[in-house]
Amino acid sequence: MGLCTEHLCWPDRTRKQLRLRRSRMLPPGISLFVCLMVLAWTGRALADNLQAPRFITQPSASGSIVAVGRTKILQCQALGFPQPQYRWLKDGDYISGFSSEHFYKIQSVTRPDAGSYQCIAKNSVGSIISEMIPLSVAFMTSFPENSGGHIRVKMGHAAVFTFPSISSEPAPSVTWQSDDNTLLYGTKYATTADNKLIILNVDETDAKRYRARATNTQLGQEENSEYIELEVDTSQNLDVSPEIIVPPQNVTISRQKSVTELQCIANARPLHLLNLIWLKDDIP
């Protein structure tokens, strides 16, 4: 037996007929039809449509370097039913509550805003967390005062100029220059992975002042260190036997990396007679 009103009966789910009942209150020839919503059936349909959240947009790594003072918007969007709510984390800690906004806005970025961000999308069915996306804040400090100095090297030996300390994100591009703007290129000059300048087989023409220039390519900012003066001791004019100035360092690389540089810098006088031979497992 189904549901009945004064004017009609709605059968149970197994029957497909709608049985009408005439009301004594209605004139002959007039019928009244009533539409009933069966909540149980509607509830089943809604249950069939429930979906846990799934991401269609995760926080993107593109543009993950932002300058101090700029605005950064992180976006994360998911589909699901009911509509998901979003919550953001930085370095594993919650930085917002759940809301319908699928973006997180950082206004006037500062250096402490750097970190790893994630978002959580949640509805009544379940929740999902995004990948961790690093955010870097671009900046560069000035070289410290008294970054200059003085070094004295015997003729024929190598002069090593240490790169003065500077903080920068990303790491700066570094070049060295002399006070007379001589180009520091050729076999006589070398720059190490930690930005030291090495002048091989020095002579009296190398007695100058040198400084480092750091460029933050993200900001377009340049900083110059103070000059370091090189004094060459010319009291002895002797040949110099080969010596390793910068030995190779242990390095660990991933299999997918296509290029790896091993550095070995040696000095001798005369320099043009110096030959370097690389060996792998004691085999040239």
Side-chain angles (χ1 to χ4, degrees):
M1 185 66 182
L3 300 175
C4 290
T5 69
E6 182 182 0
H7 306 292
L8 74 159
C9 287
W10 192 275
D12 60 33
R13 300 178 192 174
T14 62
R15 304 171 68 181
K16 299 182 179 180
Q17 286 184 322
L18 181 66
R19 184 160 52 89
L20 301 181
R21 300 174 62 184
R22 183 177 297 277
S23 172
R24 295 179 182 177
M25 302 289 295
L26 296 176
I30 298 177
S31 298
L32 175 66
F33 295 90
V34 178
C35 177
L36 298 180
M37 178 181 293
V38 182
L39 296 180
W41 291 4
T42 305
R44 173 176 293 183
L46 289 174
D48 291 341
N49 290 329
L50 292 177
Q51 292 183 354
R54 68 181 189 278
F55 285 119
I56 58 173
T57 302
Q58 293 213 30
S60 174
S62 62
S64 60
I65 300 180
V66 60
V68 170
R70 298 292 182 88
T71 297
K72 179 65 178 178
I73 297 178
L74 300 173
Q75 298 193 61
C76 160
Q77 194 166 10
L79 289 179
F81 187 81
Q83 178 65 37
Q85 299 279 303
Y86 302 92
R87 191 177 192 182
W88 289 86
L89 301 91
K90 175 180 177 286
D91 298 329
D93 296 324
Y94 293 116
I95 55 175
S96 74
F98 280 105
S99 75
S100 59
E101 299 290 348
H102 64 273
F103 62 87
Y104 183 74
K105 187 175 184 180
I106 308 173
Q107 291 184 318
S108 189
V109 170
T110 61
R111 288 171 60 180
D113 290 321
S116 295
Y117 289 79
Q118 293 172 284
C119 80
I120 296 176
K122 177 183 178 181
N123 64 12
S124 59
V125 184
S127 62
I128 188 172
I129 188 168
S130 72
E131 297 176 358
M132 193 172 290
I133 298 299
L135 176 67
S136 299
V137 178
F139 72 95
M140 187 166 69
T141 63
S142 300
F143 284 104
E145 295 182 2
N146 302 320
S147 60
H150 174 274
I151 59 176
R152 179 182 173 88
V153 179
K154 291 182 178 180
M155 179 179 287
H157 289 266
V160 180
F161 296 81
T162 300
F163 178 63
S165 174
I166 191 172
S167 296
S168 178
E169 177 63 39
S173 172
V174 177
T175 57
W176 286 83
Q177 56 185 187
S178 61
D179 57 1
D180 64 355
N181 294 319
T182 299
L183 296 178
L184 307 181
Y185 295 111
T187 57
K188 187 179 182 68
Y189 305 98
T191 304
T192 65
D194 56 355
N195 297 314
K196 293 178 181 176
L197 170 66
I198 299 179
I199 304 177
L200 303 173
N201 186 22
V202 298
D203 57 34
E204 62 275 5
T205 64
D206 298 313
K208 305 173 188 176
R209 297 187 305 157
Y210 300 84
R211 69 179 180 183
R213 171 174 290 177
T215 303
N216 186 310
T217 55
Q218 184 71 26
L219 300 175
Q221 177 183 347
E222 290 185 348
E223 296 289 340
N224 293 318
S225 72
E226 296 182 2
Y227 279 106
I228 303 171
E229 184 175 1
L230 172 60
E231 180 184 354
V232 179
D233 181 359
T234 59
S235 60
Q236 292 182 323
N237 189 1
L238 303 174
D239 288 349
V240 176
S241 60
E243 58 179 340
I244 301 294
I245 306 302
V246 177
Q249 301 292 320
N250 292 332
V251 60
T252 301
I253 61 173
S254 61
R255 182 177 298 178
Q256 293 79 15
K257 190 172 182 180
S258 58
V259 178
T260 299
E261 181 178 318
L262 296 175
Q263 197 170 45
C264 178
I265 301 175
N267 181 67
R269 188 182 188 203
L271 187 60
H272 69 276
L273 296 179
L274 178 64
N275 290 320
L276 284 177
I277 300 175
W278 283 89
L279 298 89
K280 177 181 180 291
D281 300 329
D282 295 327
I283 301 175

